[in-house]
Structures are given as C-alpha cells and as structure tokens.
Amino acid sequence: MTSAIIIDDEANNISNLQSLLQQHCPQVQVVATATAADDGELKIQQYRPELVFLDIQMPGKSGFDLLQSLKQRSFEVIFVTAYDQYGIQAVKFSAIDYLLKPINVEELKSAVWKAIARSTEKKQNHQLENLIHLLQQKQEKTLHRIALPSARETRFIETEKILRCESSNNYTSFFLIDGEKIVASRPIFEYEELLKEYGFFRCHQSHLINTRYIKSWVKEEGGYLLMEDGSQVPVSRYRKEALRALLK
C-alpha cells in the first residue's frame, strides 16, 4: 500500500478524490486529509506520506507556499488543480503530473502509477526540488532547468545549454552545446510550448532550435539554418515568415 494525504480547501473535492481512489487505485491508502495549507503541513510531518495530492490555489497559503515551507520533500506530489498559469508551466517544466478538475479517471490512474514507480526508485524527489527552484527563481530564466524524462532516468538541463531539439515519433532528441545527446520520452510539440519563452523556435515540423545558437540562415537548396555546432536544420516554407520576423 502507498500512503497518501489529500490537501484541498474544498471538502467535496477531497471526498470525490477519496472515492475515485478507492474505486480505481486500491493500492493507495489515504491516511489523512486537510483543507488548509498549514494543517496540511502538519499532517505531512505527522504521517510522512509517500504521496500527496495537492491543490494549488487555497485561501491564505497556496500549495506552492506549503511545499516551499517544508524542510524535507521526500514524497511524490500530484497536483489537482485548474489554476495558476505560471504554476502549471513550472509543474510541466519539472515533469510533475497534475490533474485538472473534474478529474479524469484514466489520467488519475496513470499519474498514480507513475508516482508509485518513482517513489520506489529514490528517496529524494528531484523533480519536486526543481519545481521549488523554478518558483523561487521565477524571473531568473538563465537558471531554469527543464526535466527530460526517459525510460531509465530524468535529467535536469539548463535551458541555455540546449542547442536544438529533433523529433522522432513520440520521442525528442536534445542536442546540447557540449555535444551530448539526450533522448526524452515526450513529443516535440510539448517542448515547443514549454521552451518558447526561452528563445526557442519551431522552424520545422521535426525541429526546435535555440535562436541564440543560429550561426547563419542559408537560403539556397530550399533554405536551412546553420547552427553553432555545424548542424544544418531545415526551415519549413510555412515558417519562414515567422522566422524572418523573429530574427529582425
């Protein structure tokens, strides 16, 4: 059994989630609930759960405030929310699962399964630590690291060290400025959304580039971008105008 705590300011949301867990995730045992962040913090310290279902927007202290006030964060977190645009962006950036209300049963089962699998592999939640770092360094984008999950591990890479990304079905290859290649088990369109605020541009259906590392735009042979590492990245004819406007 996996011990869990539910923290949500609305009692009916807690009751609904408990019912869904009983029906669809019997391996999860809810040992405590809380309707406020301060009480939730006390319950976490008291019960030391393996999994916390946490609402973001709550009166007074938010779910993020609660996490930042804890000295130890050895548990897994699944956010249950529909709010806080930057918060959701940071959650995605750290590859942490979140559920939108009303809760979809299949998404709940998937999130629980992944959380339990992660909790058996480690004692320290590096994804949660990265989330806290993002929240504390919200304006310092050069310090932000993105989580790149694969079947074997999750790597945390500073965005400015990523030169370009290339799609391969539902996987994305990341090419770093030091020559390393990392294959992440997520499609490229997800990373386009996450990285667009960091100077990245989708120049082709299969390619996402960091514009700071463009060496030149070669117009011959259909047109391609020459990157600082010598790689040649094609430019889709549908994206040429947007790229031209960006580079101006």
Side-chain angles (χ1 to χ4, degrees), residues 25-40:
C25 304
Q27 70 274 40
V28 175
Q29 180 182 14
V30 178
V31 296
T33 65
T35 55
D38 287 334
D39 185 34

Side-chain angles (χ1 to χ4, degrees), residues 129-143:
E129 296 300 326
N130 191 63
L131 171 62
I132 298 301
H133 175 78
L134 288 170
L135 296 172
Q136 294 174 343
Q137 305 290 337
K138 182 175 180 179
Q139 306 303 328
E140 299 294 331
K141 288 190 174 182
T142 58
L143 302 176

Side-chain angles (χ1 to χ4, degrees), residues 56-169:
I56 294 179
Q57 291 286 0
M58 294 184 287
K61 272 187 176 182
S62 71
F64 291 145
D65 293 331
L66 185 160
L67 291 176
Q68 294 182 72
S69 65
L70 293 170
K71 293 182 179 179
Q72 290 187 334
R73 310 179 190 95
S74 57
F75 49 85
E76 291 293 322
V77 171
I78 297 175
F79 290 100
V80 186
T81 186
Y83 307 104
D84 197 310
Q85 184 175 0
Y86 177 79
I88 292 298
Q89 183 80 354
V91 167
K92 290 180 180 179
F93 221 71
S94 299
I96 297 176
D97 280 307
Y98 71 97
L99 302 171
L100 293 176
K101 303 173 184 177
I103 296 173
N104 177 284
V105 171
E106 292 305 317
E107 291 178 357
L108 171 64
K109 290 162 64 176
S110 175
V112 166
W113 181 85
K114 286 187 286 185
I116 293 175
R118 287 194 300 265
S119 67
T120 61
E121 297 172 356
K122 60 185 178 349
K123 294 182 179 179
Q124 185 177 4
N125 190 331
H126 295 290
Q127 288 161 286
L128 191 52
E129 296 300 326
N130 191 63
L131 171 62
I132 298 301
H133 175 78
L134 288 170
L135 296 172
Q136 294 174 343
Q137 305 290 337
K138 182 175 180 179
Q139 306 303 328
E140 299 294 331
K141 288 190 174 182
T142 58
L143 302 176
H144 291 183
R145 299 189 303 166
I146 187 171
L148 304 179
S150 67
R152 189 169 59 90
E153 62 179 351
T154 297
R155 291 281 301 276
F156 297 89
I157 304 297
E158 294 174 11
T159 57
E160 63 178 10
K161 293 183 179 180
I162 302 169
L163 190 138
R164 65 184 181 92
C165 311
E166 186 172 342
S167 172
S168 177
N169 295 321

Side-chain angles (χ1 to χ4, degrees), residues 203-226:
C203 61
H204 185 275
Q205 181 178 357
S206 301
H207 296 273
L208 179 67
I209 53 101
N210 189 338
T211 56
R212 74 168 65 192
Y213 298 120
I214 296 175
K215 188 173 184 179
S216 64
W217 183 0
V218 181
K219 303 296 179 66
E220 60 188 29
E221 299 177 3
Y224 62 87
L225 295 173
L226 180 64

